[in-house]
Amino acid sequence: MTRKSALFIVGLLILLALFARFFVIREQGDLAYKTEALRIGEVGSEHTHMSIRIYINDTPMDLSLPEYQLQSPIVHTEDGDGAYIHKHATGVTLTDFLDSIKVKLTTECITFDTLLQYCSNDSATLETYLNREPFSDWSNYELRQGDKILITYGKDDPISLSLKLNSVIDLSGELDDND
């Protein structure tokens, strides 16, 4: 075998290795996407309810408005009511619900329809609560029957925070799994 032939074969093997590597990375990326999509069960795999209140500078967000109603088959508000979240599939998080109504929540900011953004700063803070306790890992927490969710942005003293926490409806006895 000549030196030219050997270099040609080595070059060809390197190209084949790069080509194979490209497809392995692409398939792993596709698999990651599929795994994320599979996280949420089929519509109808669950039917549970939780309650929510969102305050921006002491003003409650009106989730009963049409633009927030029935925006997703897996999780939504409905029937002109903005206090109850209806969850119709396993694996659904608060992030999934908020995404469906074009609200993005991070630990520092809440953004509405990419236009209005409220971020923690020296004069106001964003705080989130699950069942009256501070909570922030919303993208990894699957919503459960009866959860009480409060999102508040502003400057809350202990009394105003307590009033807001009390404003989140307690679902015990309000709705059953068939509503």
Side-chain angles (χ1 to χ4, degrees), residues 110-131:
I110 187 166
T111 306
F112 299 92
D113 200 18
T114 69
L115 302 174
L116 295 172
Q117 185 175 57
Y118 301 91
C119 297
S120 292
N121 56 49
D122 291 339
S123 60
T125 57
L126 176 67
E127 298 178 290
T128 59
Y129 295 85
L130 172 63
N131 301 323

Side-chain angles (χ1 to χ4, degrees), residues 26-49:
R26 184 169 169 237
E27 285 187 21
Q28 286 174 345
D30 289 347
L31 180 61
Y33 172 76
K34 289 175 186 172
T35 302
E36 177 67 17
L38 293 175
R39 171 182 63 83
I40 296 175
E42 293 182 26
V43 174
S45 59
E46 184 173 318
H47 188 186
T48 54
H49 306 93

